[in-house]
Amino acid sequence: MLKDMSAGVHRLLTGIKPRPGAKRVNLALQGGGAHGAFTWGVLDYFLEDGRLAFSAVSGASAGAVNAVMLADGLARGGAEEARKRLAEFWRAASLGGDLPGPQRIVLDRMLALFPVGGSPLQFFVDAIARLMSPYDFNPLNINPLKSLIERFVDFDVIRGYGGLDLFISATNVHSGRLRVFRREDVSADVVMASAALPHVFRAVEIDGEPYWDGGFTGNPPILPLISANSDDVLLIQIAPLRRDDTPTTARDILNRVNEISFSSSLAAELRALEYVGRGTARNAPGINVHRILLDGLDKRLNGSRLKTDYDFFALLHRAGRRAARRFLDRHFDDIGHRSTLDLVKETAA
């Protein structure tokens, strides 16, 4: 109760006023390198539209970056400030951004290698990555992501903001297990850890333990959202769990192997949600699960995880806005009442 009162006072002081009739949801933001610009577009439309309010957000890798930009903007100035934060970050992260040369190279590798694409250039980059670790090719431990995050995000403000629960995933290098950092513990190092691809960045040490990309074990973490103040979880999914065609070329095989690797944790969490839904169906309402999926752009996205120019980010941003609009037009009335993602079908073998 005190937490709710504190959040309400903070919203009054910062001018954050939920629109009448807005429905509350919990957001789960999947990682996906440059394709995270699609999630930017989804969030941008939601913030502009105003029919949804957010109780909690979770994220991994690029999803974690989008999550902290959203949280920072909402905490400091509401929906319009959040839109501004997200837009400025993706502009700065693009090839046309103002990063120095060495930082530009490292950031491009981060955006390109999640997951590994299949273009000839990518095969060359991947071969080099197998021969040289980030401890070799990046001896100064340059991390442009940290510079960008610290430029746009005030973590003291986020940690003190009670209006939005925040969950960021990272993978413990020693144990191989998922760690989910809550809002009170989130820092620039935590976001860096969540996006620390092993072939690009050194492991990030937090509390004496090294961490790699959260996409390996929680992409994104969904189960922590169940305890948040909403019965609806909306997943923004970058990589499909299922494809109906069998890959036969080296490029397509490599792409699919990486999609499976970085989506296995999501599949496990969806199965857990389906199990929880079966257990609560007779006695109490379950969790309503919804999804917005990046699809319909397969030809233009082929090998596109290597692209970091702003025109490509803008393409994904527009696709995200269209997908968000379609979702609200079709399913706004369902929010708070029923799931629109068939978990039984989604988790079937």
Side-chain angles (χ1 to χ4, degrees), residues 13-30:
L13 292 176
T14 58
I16 303 172
K17 299 177 181 179
R19 294 188 184 183
K23 293 186 176 183
R24 302 198 72 83
V25 299
N26 300 318
L27 296 171
L29 311 181
Q30 191 179 45

Side-chain angles (χ1 to χ4, degrees), residues 297-315:
L297 295 173
D298 285 352
K299 290 184 179 179
R300 279 180 286 181
L301 295 182
N302 186 28
S304 62
R305 290 181 181 91
L306 277 169
K307 296 182 179 180
T308 58
D309 58 278
Y310 187 76
D311 287 344
F312 178 65
F313 289 168
L315 168 70

Side-chain angles (χ1 to χ4, degrees), residues 18 192 207:
M192 286 167 51
D207 299 331

Side-chain angles (χ1 to χ4, degrees), residues 7-250:
V9 170
H10 193 279
R11 282 192 291 269
L12 288 174
L13 292 176
T14 58
I16 303 172
K17 299 177 181 179
R19 294 188 184 183
K23 293 186 176 183
R24 302 198 72 83
V25 299
N26 300 318
L27 296 171
L29 311 181
Q30 191 179 45
H35 291 180
F38 172 82
T39 301
W40 162 36
V42 172
L43 297 177
D44 186 56
Y45 186 84
F46 285 163
L47 291 164
E48 180 184 48
D49 178 86
R51 281 181 280 174
L52 296 182
F54 312 127
S55 295
V57 59
S58 70
S61 197
V65 174
N66 280 321
V68 296
M69 296 298 160
L70 174 67
D72 179 83
L74 290 177
R76 289 208 263 183
E80 286 306 311
E81 185 64 25
R83 294 182 69 197
K84 178 182 176 183
R85 282 277 180 273
L86 285 159
E88 289 179 344
F89 170 80
W90 283 99
R91 168 64 76 177
S94 73
L95 188 60
D98 58 357
L99 286 175
Q103 292 192 25
R104 171 83 269 145
I105 293 170
V106 176
L107 185 64
D108 285 350
R109 289 198 64 185
M110 184 201 83
L111 292 173
L113 287 171
F114 191 95
V116 176
S119 69
L121 175 60
Q122 183 60 76
F123 283 122
F124 171 75
V125 172
D126 190 38
I128 295 299
R130 287 193 177 98
L131 295 174
M132 298 181 66
S133 84
Y135 297 83
D136 298 322
F137 71 74
N138 187 12
L140 300 179
N141 198 22
I142 297 172
N143 195 317
L145 182 61
K146 184 174 183 179
S147 301
L148 283 179
I149 290 171
E150 290 179 336
R151 185 196 307 182
F152 294 114
V153 178
D154 186 330
F155 286 95
D156 289 333
V157 169
I158 288 180
R159 288 190 291 266
Y161 176 52
L164 183 74
D165 287 334
L166 178 63
F167 305 94
I168 302 298
S169 65
T171 302
N172 186 300
V173 177
H174 290 166
S175 69
R177 294 179 179 176
L178 167 69
R179 178 173 175 181
V180 177
F181 294 86
R182 301 180 66 92
R183 186 193 73 243
E184 296 83 357
D185 301 316
V186 170
S187 64
D189 283 342
V190 167
V191 181
M192 286 167 51
S194 185
L197 285 164
H199 288 163
V200 183
F201 295 128
R202 298 184 185 187
V204 179
E205 188 169 302
I206 301 173
D207 299 331
E209 293 286 330
Y211 289 91
W212 277 336
D213 198 295
F216 293 112
T217 51
N219 191 21
I222 296 179
L223 296 181
L225 297 174
I226 293 178
S227 61
N229 188 28
S230 174
D231 290 331
D232 289 78
V233 172
L234 174 53
L235 167 66
I236 314 301
Q237 187 177 339
I238 302 299
L241 291 175
R242 179 181 178 86
R243 288 194 183 276
D244 293 328
D245 56 326
T246 302
T248 56
T249 67

